[in-house]
Amino acid sequence: MMKKDTHPDYHMINVEMTDGTTFQTRSTWGSEGDTLHLDIDPKTHPAWTGGTRRASEGGRVARFNKRFGGLSLNKKD
């Protein structure tokens, strides 16, 4: 026998994509009939669209090279 009141309420909600299209799904988010407005979705996010990330531009190595890139270890006589 299962325990009562151990699982959250599972109900139908509406999901609105960034382009305005909507669909219904079951979720524990919100209340029955609420609309979840997405800021990022698979139609626009680079992780799904194949876009590029600019992670290497501001990394530690880039900052180090910008700061100390002109230094040399060669001793001058």
Side-chain angles (χ1 to χ4, degrees):
M1 189 161 137
M2 291 179 49
K3 294 181 183 179
K4 288 187 174 192
D5 301 325
T6 58
H7 299 286
D9 180 36
Y10 196 57
H11 49 270
M12 293 299 289
I13 65 164
N14 301 307
V15 178
E16 184 175 338
M17 305 289 267
T18 57
D19 67 355
T21 58
T22 61
F23 65 92
Q24 286 189 327
T25 188
R26 294 180 56 87
S27 176
T28 58
W29 178 88
S31 301
E32 178 80 27
D34 282 352
T35 300
L36 175 63
H37 300 277
L38 299 180
D39 294 333
I40 298 174
D41 64 41
K43 294 180 181 179
T44 59
H45 195 278
W48 289 284
T49 61
T52 59
R53 272 182 68 192
R54 295 183 172 182
S56 62
E57 289 182 10
R60 290 182 180 194
V61 173
R63 279 188 302 215
F64 179 86
N65 287 335
K66 182 179 177 183
R67 203 166 166 191
F68 302 109
L71 297 178
S72 175
L73 296 177
N74 297 335
K75 289 186 178 184
K76 295 182 181 178
D77 293 326

